[in-house]
């Protein structure tokens, strides 16, 4: 995942008819402290009760919202064009 070594990774990518996306990546991580996933240009943020790191990027001319957090010893990354989707996925 972005700058973090993971032992294994699984992902699922979804697109709707409008080209909006939801990509979810989950990786096994041996060091399960939230500070270990601190990414450059990311801000520490809590979304739906999960402490993690949040940042935006441009993706094909659209804003992409990203959030990484730890869950049960795994690192989870959510990428989407709709910021509200992050909260919906976690809740």
């Amino acid at each position: 995942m972005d700058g973090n070594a993971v032992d294994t990774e699984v992902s699922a990518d979804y697109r709707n008819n409008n080209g909006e996306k939801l990509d979810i990546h989950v990786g096994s991580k041996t060091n399960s402290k939230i500070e270990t996933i601190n990414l450059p240009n990311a801000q520490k943020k809590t979304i739906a009760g999960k402490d993690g790191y949040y940042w935006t990027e441009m993706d094909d001319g659209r804003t992409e919202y990203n959030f990484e957090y730890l869950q049960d010893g795994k690192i989870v990354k959510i990428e989407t064009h709709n910021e509200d989707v992050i909260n919906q996925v976690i809740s």
Side-chain angles (χ1 to χ4, degrees):
M1 309 236 188
D2 291 350
N4 292 290
V6 294
D7 297 328
T8 57
E9 180 180 342
V10 294
S11 63
D13 302 333
Y14 305 94
R15 303 279 185 281
N16 67 14
N17 293 336
N18 296 330
E20 292 181 341
K21 74 176 189 175
L22 169 61
D23 296 345
I24 301 172
H25 308 270
V26 179
S28 297
K29 185 162 177 62
T30 54
N31 186 344
S32 60
K33 294 185 178 182
I34 191 67
E35 293 78 16
T36 63
I37 64 171
N38 187 5
L39 303 164
N41 302 319
Q43 64 183 29
K44 197 167 187 179
K45 188 170 184 173
T46 301
I47 299 176
K50 302 292 182 189
D51 293 328
Y53 289 90
Y54 172 87
W55 71 100
T56 61
E57 299 175 340
M58 291 306 291
D59 177 44
D60 292 330
R62 300 175 73 175
T63 301
E64 176 183 274
Y65 303 92
N66 300 275
F67 186 63
E68 281 192 15
Y69 63 98
L70 296 174
Q71 173 80 38
D72 300 327
K74 301 198 179 351
I75 186 168
V76 179
K77 179 180 180 187
I78 300 170
E79 304 171 26
T80 181
H81 291 138
N82 183 337
E83 186 175 13
D84 294 333
V85 170
I86 296 172
N87 189 50
Q88 294 171 15
V89 168
I90 297 172
S91 296

